[in-house]
Amino acid sequence: MKKFRKVLDGLSSSSPGGVASPSCGSAAGTPTAHAPTPQDIHVQETLVSENFQICKTVRHGFPYQPTCLAFDPVQKILAIGSRTGGIRILGRPGVDCYSQHESGAAVLQLQFLINEGALVTACADDTLHLWNLRQRRPAILHSLKFNRERITFCHLPFQSKWLYVGTERVESSNIHKCSIVNDNLMMTTMKFLLWFESGTVVQWDLRAKKVDFRIYYDEAIHSVSWHHEGKQFMCSHSDGSLTMWNLRNTARPIQITYPHGKILKDGRKESCKPILKVEYKTSRNSSEPYVIFSGGLSYDKSGGRRPTLTIMHGKAITVLEMDHPIVEFLVLCDTPYSNEVQDPYAVVVLLEKDFIVVDLTQSNFPIFENPYPMDIHESPVTCTAYFAECPPDIIPILYSIGAKQKKTGYSHKEWPVSGGTWTLGSQTYPEIIVTGHADGTVKFWDASAITLQMLYKLKTSKVFEKPKAGDGRAGELVEEDPYAVQMVSWCPHSRLFCVVGISSHVILYRFSKHDANTQIVSLEVRLQFDSEDVISPSELPSLLTISFNSLSISTSPVLPSSLPLSLHPLPPRPALYVRVKSRPVRMPPGYQAEMVVQLQWVDGEPPQQITSLDINSAYGLLAFGNCNGLTVVDFLQKTILMCMGTLDLYGAADPYQRLTRSPRKNRQSTSGRGTPTPLFVSFDLLFSASFGFYFCFHFGLETLTAPFFPMSFVTVKGPGRKLSLPTDLKTDLGTVGEKNSFSRSRSSSVSSIDRDTKESVTTLQFGESYGRKGDALPTACLWVGTSLGVVLLLPISIPTEEEERMEEPITMGPSGTVLMLKGSVLRFAFLDCGGALIQSPYEVWRDPNGPEDPDRTRRRKLINFSPSSSQEACGDGHLAVVCSEKQAKVILMPTQAVLFTHNITESSFLLRADVVSVCNSVCLACFCANGHIMTLSLPSLRPLMDINYLPLTDLRIARTFVFTNGGQALYLSSPTEIQRLTYSQEMTDNLQDMLGELFTPIETPEAQNKGFLKGFFGGNAQTFDREELFGEAAAGKASRSLAQHIPGPMGLENMKAAAGGVVGDLARARIALDQRGERLGELEERTALMMNSAETFSTHAHQVMLKHKDKKWYQL
C-alpha cells in the first residue's frame, strides 16, 4: 500500500508552468475531470532531474572554413584551425577532438610544442593561447593578448621554450614574418632570418643585436624554406618564380627558376600566378631534393584549370590538380630536427572543402584513403536521421555491401596521422546516422562508439530518367537539384527505406543481398486544391479523377444506383518534371527501388512539398501528406488506398465549422473531335456526412476495393516555384516556395479560422490503437496531426491471412475522432499502462530476391506490439503521447480522456520533439526555437531538465536537430559538420573513457651523430643558454603595455597532474618500464663489451711485457 501511495504522489505532482487544457478543465499534471484518473494506471516513474545533463560529445565532418594546419612529427597528430575559432585535432581513427575559442576569433596559425603535449594558437584578435593536450578534452593554460600590435607570424623551434612572434604595428604598412634558421646550428650563432612581403630579407644576429645582411628583391616574397644545412634557402615570389640564395653571397640569387613559365618567341617570359608557399626538403635515398609548392601556373594555360600542387624531384615535375582552392599544405618528414636530412614521406594538403594526404614514397604519388568522415558535405546535407540500438546485424551487412562502392587506387601504406590512443568503450551499441543530400544521395554512417564511418551510399537519381533541358514550363521552373532529399523514413528491422524528394516524390526501397533486374512501379497522385467555389450541402458533390497507366472500372453492389459513371476525354496528363524509368532497371545488391509515388503538376504549377511521412512494413502501408491533404498507399498491392483533402478528413467533426471546398473542375480538351485524346475515368458521386460508400477498380491483374469518403482535389494557385534549393539556403535546407517554420503564425487562438486557411498534415504515425471510443480491441490505426493542432484517427481494416492480404481490399477512413492542441502537432508515441514504450509492428526482413526453397513457402513474419499483449496486470487500453509546438498531452485510449497536459512554452515554439528511452525508462525530449533543450517525464509530463543550450542562429540547426534513444542527439552545426551531444548524466560521466587520448608518452628521438671532426671543430651547440639573451637579467622586464597575460582555467602546475587520467598513467608506466628494460639491456651489453676489451688489453699488455722485460731502457 505504501508503494502504491508513492506512485500516486509521483503521478499527481503538478508541473511548474502547466496550464489547464480547455477541453479537460484541469491543471497541468493533474487528472482530468470526468475521465479516468492516474489512479487507474500504475506507472512508477524512475527518472529524476539528476539523470540529465547536456554535454557535447564529438564533432564529425570537415572543419568549416579552415585557415591553418600543424603537425607534430613525434606524436603524429594533426591540428586544423578554422575561421570560426575552432580547432580540430586528429590522430588515429577514433582520436578526433574539437575545441573552440570562446572569442570566436579566426585561428591564424598553429604551432605544436613537439612531443610536449601542448599547442599554441594565434588568433585574429591578436591573442596567443597555450593549450594543454595532455588530457582528453584540451584546455587553455595561458593566453597573451597583444594591445598595440597585430600578430602576423609565429615560429616555435624544436625543443625551445621561446616562441618567436612577428607583428605589425598599427602605424606601419609592412607585414613582417619571422622564420628561424635550423635550430642546432643557430643555437651557437644565434642568427635568424626575417623576410617581408615587400621582397626584403634580413639576417639578424641575436647575440650582437645587429644586422648581418639585407637582401632587396624586386618581386614580393610569399614564403621561405631552408636547406637542412642552413647554408641556402629558397624563396617563392608573386611572379611564379623560385629563387635560391646562398649565405656566402647575398648580392644576387644563385638560381632563378620559373617552373611553369616559358620563354615566348619574342623573348618575353610567360606570365605566371604567384607561388604562395614552397617547401625545400632533402632525402637520403636521392641526391635530388624535393621542391613542393602551390600555385605558379601560367595565366594563359590555367584560365580554366583548378588549383594545383606541384612536386619537383630532379627533372621530374608532377602537377596535382585539386577540386578546391588550397588553404595550406605541410610536408611530413621522419625527423623533427630541421638541421638533419628530412626524408619527406607525405604531403598533407588542406583545401577549402577537403583534406587529402599524398604519398611521396611512390612514383605516381597516390593519395591515402582518409579514415575520417571528411566527405559529409560532398553534396549539401538536406536532412538527417539518427537511429540508436539498431539490430546488431544491420551494420555488418551494410558495410559489406558498401565496401563494393569504395574507390580504388589509394596508397597501400598505412594512414600517416597515427597518433594518440583509443579503445572501444564498454557501453557501446549499434548506432546509425542517415544523411540526405541535395544531389539525391542518401548516406548511411556507422556512428557506434562516438565514431563515424561510411557504410553505404544510395543514389535516388538512378530511379529517374535524366531531365531534358527546356522541357516546357517545367524545364523553366526547375533549375538544379531536382532529386534533393527532404526527409527519410527507415525501419531497421524490416529494412524498408522510404525517401521524400523535393520534386514531391516518394521512393520505396527494399534491401536485398542479390542483384535484380526489375520494373519500378510508378503511381501518380493528384493532391492539388482550389478554393474558388464554396458549395452548399444541396449542391452536387465533387468530381474525383483517378488516373493510372492501365485502368478498368467495375462498380460495387453497394454503390447507390443514382451514381452516374462517365467516361470522357480529359486534358493531357499534368507534367512531371522527374520521370520514373519505364524500362526494367538492373539494380546492384543493397537498397533497390520498388515503387515511386509522384504528386502531379496541375496547369503548369508544381505540387506542394510533402510535409509528413510514415511507413509500416507489417501493414504494408505508406502514408504521406502536405498542406493540401493526405495520401495512403498500399505498397503490397501497389495501389492508392486513400487520397483526401485535409478538410475532408474531418467529416462532420470539423471543429472550425468551415464550408466544404469544391474540387477543381476538369477543363475540357481543346483538341478536335477527330483527334484521339487520353481517356481518364471520373466518378460523379453524391456524398453525405452520415455514410461512406465504396468504389472498386482493377489495376492490372489486381483488384482493389476500398471505402470511399468525401474527397476534394484542390490546387492552390500561386506564383511559379522552382524545384531547387536556393543557392544561399542549400546548406540551410530552405524549403522552396513555402514560408519557413519561423514565419508562419502560431496564434494559440483557434476560435475563428478563415475558410481559406491551409491546414498541413504535419505528422503521421501507424500503430495498434483504438480508432473509436467503443472499441474493445486494438486495431491498426493511422494517427494524423495537422498544423492547426488537430489529431485525427483513421482505423484500418487489414485482412489477417497472407493470401487475403495480397488480394482482398483494405478499408480505412476517418472515425470522427478529433483531439486538439495548441500549435502544430509534431510527434506521436504510445505507452502501455505500465509506462513502457510500445513499438510499431514490423515485418521481419526477408530477401525479396533470395533463392526459392521448394520445400518452404515464403510467408511474411510479422512482429506485433499490441497494447493488450504488452501488458498483463495493467488492464486494457494504452497511453498516447501527443506533442505539439506549444504543449504536450497524454491521452488514455480507448476512452480518449486527457490525463495530463503541460504547456511547454508560451513565448517560443518547439522545433523537434521525440519520445526516447533513457536509463531504462522513457521521456519526452524537446528542442525549442529559443535554444532550450527540455525533457519531460512520462506519463506525468513533469519537467526534468530545461537548459539554454544553443541560441538558434540559422535554419540549418532547426531542420536537422534530432533526438534518439540512449540520451543522444545531433544537428548540423555547420554546412560541413555534424555535432553530437548527450543529455544523459550517465553518458556524460562515461564520456572520458569513450574519448581518445591525444598525448602518448614517447621518447624524443635522438639527433643524428655529426661525426668526430664536425663535432670537434663545431663545438657543443647545446652549451648556449638563450636565457642570457631573453631573460630579465639581460633584456629586462617586458613592457606591461605590450601584451596582457590572461591565465587559463588550469595553471601550468596542473598540466602534468591532469595528463590523461588512469589510462594515461598506466600507459606512461608501461612505457617507462619498457624504456628501463631497454636501458638495462644496453647497459649489460656495454658491460660485456668493456670486459672483453679489458681482457684483450690485459693480454696485449702481458705480451708486450714479456717481449721487453730483458731489454735495457736505452734499447726500447
Side-chain angles (χ1 to χ4, degrees):
M1 189 65 184
K2 292 181 179 179
K3 182 179 180 180
F4 185 72
R5 288 179 180 176
K6 290 181 180 180
V7 174
L8 298 184
D9 293 339
L11 290 176
S12 59
S13 59
S14 176
S15 58
V19 180
S21 172
S23 61
C24 61
S26 63
T30 60
T32 306
H34 308 294
T37 63
Q39 284 79 356
D40 296 327
I41 56 176
H42 308 287
V43 180
Q44 185 174 2
E45 297 182 359
T46 59
L47 293 178
V48 293
S49 300
E50 288 73 17
N51 295 126
F52 297 93
Q53 176 63 43
I54 293 291
C55 178
K56 293 181 179 180
T57 55
V58 68
R59 180 171 293 200
H60 302 296
F62 180 78
Y64 184 55
Q65 295 179 334
T67 55
C68 52
L69 191 65
F71 182 72
D72 187 327
V74 179
Q75 289 290 321
K76 294 190 181 302
I77 57 175
L78 184 140
I80 301 175
S82 70
R83 195 177 302 172
T84 57
I87 305 173
R88 191 77 169 276
I89 304 176
L90 302 171
R92 67 176 66 249
V95 179
D96 190 340
C97 179
Y98 175 81
S99 298
Q100 176 70 38
H101 291 90
E102 293 184 359
S103 64
V107 181
L108 301 180
Q109 195 174 355
L110 298 167
Q111 287 284 334
F112 275 106
L113 276 71
I114 297 177
N115 203 29
E116 294 293 333
L119 176 70
V120 175
T121 60
C123 297
D125 59 352
D126 303 319
T127 306
L128 297 175
H129 303 278
L130 177 62
W131 292 79
N132 176 23
L133 305 184
R134 291 175 176 257
Q135 56 192 49
R136 297 180 186 243
R137 285 189 176 275
I140 294 178
L141 294 173
H142 299 282
S143 298
L144 194 64
K145 171 70 175 177
F146 283 75
N147 297 324
R148 295 178 297 178
E149 297 190 7
R150 189 167 70 88
I151 299 174
T152 59
F153 193 80
C154 298
H155 181 78
L156 181 62
F158 178 45
Q159 294 181 328
S160 171
K161 65 178 181 179
W162 297 101
L163 174 70
Y164 297 86
V165 182
T167 64
E168 175 191 20
R169 289 186 177 272
V170 177
E171 63 272 9
S172 175
S173 59
N174 291 330
I175 301 176
H176 57 277
K177 299 182 179 181
C178 166
S179 178
I180 308 299
V181 186
N182 57 83
D183 305 327
N184 290 347
L185 179 65
M186 289 300 129
M187 289 183 75
T188 302
T189 60
M190 288 309 296
K191 297 179 181 180
F192 65 91
L193 207 65
L194 293 170
W195 55 273
F196 300 80
E197 285 187 346
S198 60
T200 302
V201 181
V202 178
Q203 179 169 299
W204 181 264
D205 189 332
L206 285 175
R207 178 179 291 174
K209 297 182 179 180
K210 66 176 184 179
V211 175
D212 286 345
F213 62 82
R214 288 185 176 90
I215 296 175
Y216 298 98
Y217 197 70
D218 296 336
E219 295 294 335
I221 299 176
H222 289 284
S223 69
V224 171
S225 182
W226 281 95
H227 188 276
H228 78 275
E229 294 180 349
K231 299 178 182 179
Q232 296 177 344
F233 62 90
M234 180 177 290
C235 300
S236 67
H237 301 278
S238 58
D239 63 346
S241 64
L242 297 173
T243 57
M244 181 72 75
W245 301 82
N246 195 307
L247 296 184
R248 294 182 179 180
N249 183 9
T250 59
R252 60 179 181 272
I254 60 176
Q255 182 180 2
I256 302 177
T257 307
Y258 289 85
H260 297 296
K262 297 180 180 180
I263 304 298
L264 302 179
K265 294 181 180 180
D266 55 1
R268 293 185 299 106
K269 294 179 180 178
E270 198 173 21
S271 179
C272 296
K273 293 182 178 181
I275 297 179
L276 301 179
K277 183 177 180 179
V278 63
E279 290 280 359
Y280 184 33
K281 303 296 180 182
T282 54
S283 175
R284 291 189 182 90
N285 300 327
S286 174
S287 59
E288 299 291 342
Y290 284 89
V291 178
I292 305 170
F293 59 89
S294 60
L297 285 181
S298 170
Y299 279 107
D300 297 335
K301 296 181 180 179
S302 61
R305 286 190 181 181
R306 295 176 290 184
T308 59
L309 181 76
T310 303
I311 302 175
M312 297 174 58
H313 188 212
K315 296 182 179 180
I317 300 179
T318 304
V319 179
L320 306 178
E321 291 189 346
M322 305 295 170
D323 294 330
H324 309 283
I326 298 175
V327 175
E328 175 70 287
F329 73 89
L330 290 176
V331 179
L332 307 187
C333 303
D334 286 330
T335 176
Y337 298 94
S338 58
N339 66 330
E340 297 179 353
V341 178
Q342 298 297 290
D343 275 336
Y345 59 88
V347 182
V348 178
V349 186
L350 179 64
L351 308 177
E352 281 190 359
K353 295 183 179 181
D354 203 357
F355 172 75
I356 63 173
V357 181
V358 181
D359 187 358
L360 292 180
T361 62
Q362 300 183 42
S363 58
N364 58 341
F365 302 126
I367 65 174
F368 290 89
E369 185 177 4
N370 199 328
Y372 315 123
M374 294 291 186
D375 56 346
I376 293 178
H377 65 289
E378 185 179 13
S379 176
V381 179
T382 53
C383 72
T384 58
Y386 196 3
F387 302 89
E389 301 175 357
C390 298
D393 60 334
I394 190 67
I395 290 180
I397 189 63
L398 286 175
Y399 182 80
S400 63
I401 298 296
K404 303 175 183 178
Q405 301 174 336
K406 289 186 177 181
K407 299 178 181 179
T408 58
Y410 292 111
S411 172
H412 62 274
K413 293 193 174 182
E414 293 184 359
W415 179 252
V417 185
S418 57
T421 57
W422 179 78
T423 56
L424 191 65
S426 58
Q427 296 183 349
T428 59
Y429 43 84
E431 300 176 68
I432 291 181
I433 295 175
V434 181
T435 57
H437 300 264
D439 62 352
T441 59
V442 178
K443 295 180 180 179
F444 292 78
W445 306 84
D446 179 9
S448 306
I450 71 171
T451 61
L452 195 70
Q453 183 180 7
M454 172 94 125
L455 290 175
Y456 176 73
K457 183 177 180 179
L458 174 66
K459 296 182 179 180
T460 63
S461 59
K462 291 186 176 181
V463 175
F464 304 98
E465 301 283 357
K466 293 183 179 180
K468 298 179 181 179
D471 185 12
R473 190 176 176 196
E476 298 175 1
L477 291 178
V478 182
E479 288 182 344
E480 53 184 346
D481 301 332
Y483 314 111
V485 179
Q486 282 193 307
M487 65 181 69
V488 297
S489 179
W490 186 43
C491 178
H493 299 280
S494 64
R495 302 183 188 177
L496 277 181
F497 188 61
C498 204
V499 179
V500 172
I502 197 173
S503 299
S504 299
H505 61 265
V506 182
I507 310 175
L508 175 64
Y509 290 90
R510 286 187 184 271
F511 187 84
S512 176
K513 297 180 181 180
H514 306 84
D515 56 0
N517 192 5
T518 59
Q519 177 77 41
I520 302 175
V521 178
S522 176
L523 302 180
E524 299 175 9
V525 180
R526 180 175 174 178
L527 195 59
Q528 203 99 344
F529 288 78
D530 269 343
S531 57
E532 300 172 353
D533 305 320
V534 179
I535 64 174
S536 63
S538 60
E539 296 182 16
L540 290 177
S542 58
L543 180 70
L544 169 65
T545 302
I546 303 174
S547 62
F548 294 95
N549 295 330
S550 175
L551 183 65
S552 63
I553 302 300
S554 64
T555 59
S556 174
V558 299
L559 284 172
S561 59
S562 60
L563 294 179
L565 174 64
S566 61
L567 285 173
H568 56 80
L570 292 180
R573 180 177 304 183
L576 292 171
Y577 178 69
V578 289
R579 293 179 174 83
V580 181
K581 292 180 178 179
S582 57
R583 63 185 183 278
V585 180
R586 189 180 185 280
M587 302 178 189
Y591 274 102
Q592 301 170 352
E594 179 179 292
M595 183 180 67
V596 179
V597 183
Q598 295 177 276
L599 296 185
Q600 294 180 344
W601 290 46
V602 178
D603 295 334
E605 295 292 333
Q608 299 296 319
Q609 300 299 315
I610 296 173
T611 57
S612 56
L613 171 71
D614 193 33
I615 186 172
N616 189 278
S617 58
Y619 301 158
L621 298 179
L622 164 69
F624 62 91
N626 62 5
C627 63
N628 289 328
L630 169 69
T631 299
V632 181
V633 180
D634 183 349
F635 60 80
L636 295 181
Q637 298 187 17
K638 306 297 187 296
T639 55
I640 305 296
L641 183 61
M642 172 180 285
C643 183
M644 299 184 80
T646 311
L647 301 184
D648 297 322
L649 291 173
Y650 292 101
D654 187 354
Y656 303 126
Q657 299 179 357
R658 292 165 291 198
L659 294 177
T660 306
R661 300 173 183 171
S662 65
R664 173 181 292 274
K665 293 183 175 61
N666 295 311
R667 294 178 173 85
Q668 298 295 332
S669 174
T670 56
S671 60
R673 292 185 179 181
T675 304
T677 57
L679 287 181
F680 288 79
V681 181
S682 63
F683 292 90
D684 297 315
L685 300 178
L686 295 173
F687 68 93
S688 170
S690 59
F691 66 92
F693 33 86
Y694 294 79
F695 68 93
C696 177
F697 59 86
H698 299 276
F699 178 69
L701 299 177
E702 300 176 349
T703 303
L704 170 67
T705 305
F708 175 71
F709 293 87
M711 304 184 185
S712 298
F713 295 83
V714 182
T715 300
V716 179
K717 289 187 175 180
R721 298 178 293 107
K722 293 184 177 181
L723 287 184
S724 64
L725 294 176
T727 304
D728 56 340
L729 287 178
K730 278 188 179 180
T731 55
D732 291 348
L733 314 182
T735 302
V736 181
E738 65 179 41
K739 298 180 180 179
N740 60 54
S741 59
F742 295 88
S743 61
R744 67 176 190 264
S745 173
R746 283 177 174 78
S747 174
S748 59
S749 174
V750 292
S751 58
S752 60
I753 301 295
D754 183 23
R755 65 181 177 85
D756 290 332
T757 300
K758 291 195 296 183
E759 186 175 6
S760 302
V761 177
T762 55
T763 184
L764 297 166
Q765 180 70 53
F766 286 105
E768 295 287 311
S769 186
Y770 300 85
R772 297 172 179 82
K773 291 184 179 181
D775 289 351
L777 296 176
T779 59
C781 289
L782 174 62
W783 287 65
V784 181
T786 72
S787 57
L788 296 183
V790 179
V791 178
L792 302 170
L793 272 72
L794 281 69
I796 310 171
S797 177
I798 303 176
T800 56
E801 297 295 331
E802 183 171 356
E803 293 77 8
E804 296 179 356
R805 175 62 184 88
M806 300 303 296
E807 298 177 359
E808 296 296 325
I810 292 179
T811 60
M812 68 178 299
S815 63
T817 303
V818 176
L819 303 170
M820 297 179 61
L821 292 88
K822 296 180 181 179
S824 177
V825 181
L826 298 179
R827 189 67 55 203
F828 295 120
F830 309 118
L831 309 177
D832 61 22
C833 291
L837 185 64
I838 303 175
Q839 299 182 12
S840 298
Y842 63 87
E843 176 188 1
V844 177
W845 175 78
R846 58 175 182 174
D847 198 328
N849 301 322
E852 296 286 347
D853 188 353
D855 299 332
R856 299 180 60 184
T857 58
R858 294 174 60 88
R859 301 185 62 87
R860 302 174 66 213
K861 182 179 179 181
L862 306 182
I863 305 298
N864 190 7
F865 298 94
S866 175
S868 59
S869 62
S870 62
Q871 55 203 17
E872 296 178 358
C874 299
D876 296 332
H878 71 89
L879 303 178
V881 182
V882 185
C883 185
S884 71
E885 293 174 328
K886 295 287 187 179
Q887 65 178 186
K889 290 185 179 183
V890 176
I891 306 161
L892 179 61
M893 301 298 290
T895 62
Q896 300 179 8
V898 179
L899 298 182
F900 298 97
T901 301
H902 178 69
N903 286 350
I904 300 174
T905 177
E906 292 291 345
S907 58
S908 186
F909 56 93
L910 296 185
L911 296 170
R912 181 80 185 192
D914 291 290
V915 175
V916 294
S917 61
V918 180
C919 300
N920 299 320
S921 187
V922 292
C923 69
L924 177 63
C926 307
F927 177 57
C928 197
N930 57 15
H932 284 245
I933 295 179
M934 296 166 283
T935 57
L936 304 174
S937 67
L938 290 175
S940 64
L941 297 178
R942 289 180 297 106
L944 298 173
M945 180 187 69
D946 188 350
I947 295 179
N948 186 7
Y949 167 74
L950 180 72
L952 192 60
T953 55
D954 54 50
L955 289 174
R956 183 192 314 109
I957 299 175
R959 296 179 183 270
T960 58
F961 199 102
V962 59
F963 295 98
T964 191
N965 295 329
Q968 297 195 73
L970 66 81
Y971 60 91
L972 206 66
S973 58
S974 72
T976 62
E977 296 169 292
I978 291 177
Q979 177 67 57
R980 294 168 65 179
L981 60 103
T982 179
Y983 50 94
S984 167
Q985 182 66 57
E986 181 182 3
M987 186 170 183
T988 302
D989 296 337
N990 297 327
L991 185 59
Q992 289 295 325
D993 297 332
M994 302 171 66
L995 298 175
E997 290 271 6
L998 296 174
F999 178 77
T1000 304
I1002 301 175
E1003 187 176 1
T1004 302
E1006 297 181 359
Q1008 295 179 1
N1009 190 0
K1010 299 179 181 179
F1012 174 76
L1013 293 178
K1014 193 170 185 179
F1016 180 80
F1017 292 104
N1020 188 0
Q1022 303 296 330
T1023 59
F1024 188 83
D1025 186 9
R1026 296 184 183 179
E1027 190 72 24
E1028 299 177 9
L1029 290 176
F1030 304 126
E1032 292 185 1
K1037 293 185 177 181
S1039 174
R1040 294 184 178 180
S1041 61
L1042 177 64
Q1044 176 186 0
H1045 175 257
I1046 304 173
M1050 296 179 58
L1052 190 60
E1053 63 277 5
N1054 297 330
M1055 181 175 177
K1056 294 183 179 180
V1062 178
V1063 177
D1065 294 337
L1066 292 176
R1068 283 186 292 275
R1070 184 179 66 252
I1071 293 176
L1073 289 174
D1074 294 340
Q1075 293 175 351
R1076 183 182 179 186
E1078 292 176 359
R1079 290 171 182 172
L1080 289 175
E1082 293 175 359
L1083 180 61
E1084 185 178 356
E1085 293 177 359
R1086 291 178 182 176
T1087 303
L1089 291 175
M1090 291 177 64
M1091 291 179 63
N1092 294 333
S1093 300
E1095 291 178 359
T1096 304
F1097 179 78
S1098 176
T1099 302
H1100 289 311
H1102 184 69
Q1103 292 176 354
V1104 171
M1105 185 269 295
L1106 293 176
K1107 180 178 180 181
H1108 300 287
K1109 73 174 182 176
D1110 296 333
K1111 294 183 180 180
K1112 303 295 183 180
W1113 63 270
Y1114 54 83
Q1115 293 177 335
L1116 298 177

